[in-house]
Amino acid sequence: MRGTIRLATIIYAILIYGFIFLPVVTLVLFSFQATSFPIPPFTGPSLRWYETVLADSRLTSALGNSLIVAVISSALATLLGFLSAWGFARFYIPASAVLRGLITLPLTVSYLIIGMGLLVLFNAIGIPKSLLSAGIGHVVINLPLCFAILYSQMGEHQANIERAARDLGAREWQVLTLVTAPMLWPALFASFFLSMTFSWDEFVISFLLTRFETTLPVEIWNLLRSGLNPKTNAVGSLVFLVSIVFVLLFELTLFRKQRR
Amino acid sequence: MWTLAFFAAPFIAMAVVSLTSHDGGGGLTFANYQQFFANPSYTQALVNSLEVTLIVTVVSILLAYPFAWILAEQIPERWQRLALILAVLPFWTSYVVRSYSWLLVLAEKGVVNNTLVQLGLIAEPIQLANTRFTTVTGFVHFFVMLLTLTIFANLKQLSPSYRKAAADLGAGPVRTFLHVVLPLTFPGIMVGAFLTFVLAIGDYITPQILGGNNELLMPQLIMLQIGRRGDFPLASALSILLMAVVTVAYLASARWLKIERA
């Protein structure tokens, strides 16, 4: 009886792992396909599709755009999240709970609807579609997240240290940059890398808010029109690799924080 | 306050636009909403969306719960972190890429069909791509990972003393699970289910790539209004309807969601 249950759980776990990894393994495997269709039988390994990708100027520039948008929008979201979290944690603000709720509200709304709303708004006030508007969209979706992470990390003992700094004659901006920010740096890095990951992957908002110059997910979307193609596999695998790097950085910063 | 500007303003703009009409005729009207309810193919999209989302939510929970339970209770402590990271690794592939991968797997000559034919289980490849089945598979794949995470966290938070108490009072493992563990993790399941519902019903990519245009879901309908017809008022009205559905779902599950916070 016990043995059967044990066996059943092992089989179940293997099946679920299989289900979870099936698409990823397929993706990566057939990115090394030597012929032009990413379907069995596997004919590789070959790096020709990676060469095609790196030679494609649209894709490489989209990659650059993606990185720029991700870095700048995440930095901005982290900074704004930090300032608003600090404001909420240190000062008395009327109806604080309601306002905090409002800040985190965008987390529950579909990206499509946020993108849609921004599109309508930008149309109305005449901001053209561009990487800038997509970047603003990414700040909108990542700010609540940064706020939530940073707000949860601001405790009373830090407030005491800040007070001590103020007593010793530090100005408000000195307190913020020399005391508060260094104390919170793991949380700051964590929000930054998490935002990077989301911005890097984000599609709908970029799709709606950019026109000619665009980000990588949108460019991949355009590639999909040509049907199944090992080139898409190769880009997809590269994107996956970069995401994994972001996640690892995120994990590492969080891990270090836990150890302290 | 910056968020308020960039988050609230789009909504107000959207609400206003949803009341204007596409042909530029002046005045505010509810015509876009009437148009939605008058057109069966539009209401069908909402019904499709709800059906797919509900199927996805239920299937994902049924698959994820036992998995999370195995990870939390059957695997030795020191391997748990690694097992969990592995279990959610594909979570970090980009949305678009993940959907594309499923297309590869389920394509007419893809891995699954190929394997089935080779095994002699089916004579001809079956049509898997561009059906509701594919959309659901793509969604379930994503949400199994998400729910595994939330349920796992939930199971780990349970104090072992509950289980000991149940055992001391003479409950066997099955009864302990049914009467103690399951009810205690129920709020967590509800939170996960709500998250699944919200994310799935608002997603455009998965149904568009995997489901194709055979069966429209709400987000696809919205994008269609923007992309092909440039009809912002109707698209705004549809978005607001979609948000209304999510709000209703939130209110309906708020009872359970609240328990979690307490």
Side-chain angles (χ1 to χ4, degrees), chain A residues 145-146 148-150 152-153 183-195 245-260, chain B residues 81 84-85 92 149:
Chain A
L145 200 74
C146 295
I149 295 178
L150 291 167
S152 70
Q153 296 295 323
M183 278 192 296
L184 279 172
W185 84 262
L188 286 169
F189 269 82
S191 352
F192 179 72
F193 288 122
L194 203 62
S195 301
V245 171
F246 288 154
V247 175
L248 280 180
L249 288 171
F250 171 74
E251 278 278 334
L252 283 178
T253 48
L254 217 63
F255 189 57
R256 283 178 72 150
K257 188 189 71 190
Q258 278 169 354
R259 276 227 293 225
R260 277 212 224 157
Chain B
R81 197 174 167 80
L84 195 67
I85 289 178
W92 301 107
L149 265 184

Side-chain angles (χ1 to χ4, degrees), chain B residues 57-71:
Chain B
T57 310
V58 171
V59 173
S60 304
I61 292 175
L62 289 180
L63 286 177
Y65 198 98
F67 187 51
W69 180 79
I70 292 172
L71 289 185

Side-chain angles (χ1 to χ4, degrees), chain A residues 12 17 20 108 229 233 240 251, chain B residues 63 81 83 93 100 141 198 202:
Chain A
Y12 187 81
Y17 271 120
I20 287 174
T108 61
N229 187 335
N233 289 41
F240 183 43
E251 278 278 334
Chain B
L63 286 177
R81 197 174 167 80
T93 45
Y100 168 76
H141 178 243
V198 170

Side-chain angles (χ1 to χ4, degrees), chain B residues 69-85:
Chain B
W69 180 79
I70 292 172
L71 289 185
E73 310 211 342
Q74 300 291 308
I75 288 185
E77 196 83 24
R78 58 202 199 102
W79 295 110
Q80 275 182 3
R81 197 174 167 80
L82 182 67
L84 195 67
I85 289 178

